[in-house]
Amino acid sequence: MSGSRFMIRTRAALATAVGCLAAASCGTAASQPAPAAPPATSAPISAPSPAPEPATDVAAPEPATEVAAPEPTVVTPTTGPPTTGPSTTASPTPAGPPEFSAKVSRVPRERLQHSWRPGCPVPVSGLRLITMTYWGFDDKPHTGELVVNKAVTDDIVSVFRRLYDWRWPIYKMRLVDAYKADDYASIDADNTSAFNCRPAEGSSSWSKHAYGLAVDINPRENPYIYANGTGSHKNASKFFKRPVRAPGVINAGDRVVKAFQQRGWEWGGYWSGIKDYQHFSKGGN
């Protein structure tokens, strides 16, 4: 009997052990201790939010809407006084008259068809044509021409540059050939000229003009006066007596006379007896 009881107890213990092992491996609720109850509070505890479900379809993005451009800002001008600060806009500079210019060149024989001929004291090759600006009686610049000896081109350009800078007026400046080398016609037209192969007034000797070493300036305003005080050009009668204060007039000791004297030229207004106020010559009468 005792052996049977032992076997029964042994089997019962094994069965119990197997059952406990099975319960532990399965994690049954019966074998787990119950969680402690939370302490009571005065406010209800919110239940946790459920986890979001995974999205199944991704919605296409909405098309972008056009954004309206901002309205332009309108600035209303003030009615107060203008600012006194310096202006940043440069004022236009008024255009002045052109600078004096002079060009010295050989003179073609055809330009001297009346004023030069074989037998003249200087050959055509010894003359030069000066094309230069001069200030007119109309207060405007003009371009004129003079033919002079090639040895005095620098003198003439220097003096006439000063006349232009002074705005000292010259009525006209053309070659005497424009008047067929007629000295009287050129003077009557108040023409400033230089070379002309002719004898001196009242003489059989060559004039300084025949060498290209003399120039007559504004012959109406500066006439040739005989020893008796008269002149041969009636349109110049009001300029016979000196001094005369008028545009284009040359008086003793004025800046025109001094400008020529500084270059070694003499003035006919200083002659004794006859006065040739228009005349300047290099190296004597």
Side-chain angles (χ1 to χ4, degrees), residues 266-272 274-281 285:
E266 298 180 5
W267 180 47
Y270 286 145
W271 294 351
S272 60
I274 293 174
K275 302 293 185 183
D276 197 356
Y277 295 119
Q278 64 198 262
H279 182 88
F280 290 94
S281 60
N285 298 335

Side-chain angles (χ1 to χ4, degrees), residues 147-181:
V147 170
V148 300
N149 192 294
K150 67 179 182 180
V152 298
T153 55
D154 288 346
D155 292 346
I156 293 297
V157 170
S158 175
V159 172
F160 278 82
R161 180 190 299 275
R162 298 180 71 179
L163 299 184
Y164 183 84
D165 291 343
W166 293 333
R167 301 298 185 257
W168 195 87
I170 294 173
Y171 185 76
K172 187 184 298 185
M173 188 188 295
R174 303 179 66 186
L175 302 189
V176 75
D177 288 80
Y179 306 92
K180 297 183 179 180

Side-chain angles (χ1 to χ4, degrees), residues 242-245 249-255 257-258 267 269-270 277:
R242 297 295 153 123
V244 176
R245 303 301 176 188
V249 170
I250 303 169
N251 290 295
D254 70 10
R255 56 185 178 178
V257 174
K258 291 178 180 178
W267 180 47
Y270 286 145
Y277 295 119

Side-chain angles (χ1 to χ4, degrees), residues 16-35:
T16 303
V18 171
C20 291
L21 290 173
S25 62
C26 295
T28 58
S31 62
Q32 299 296 325

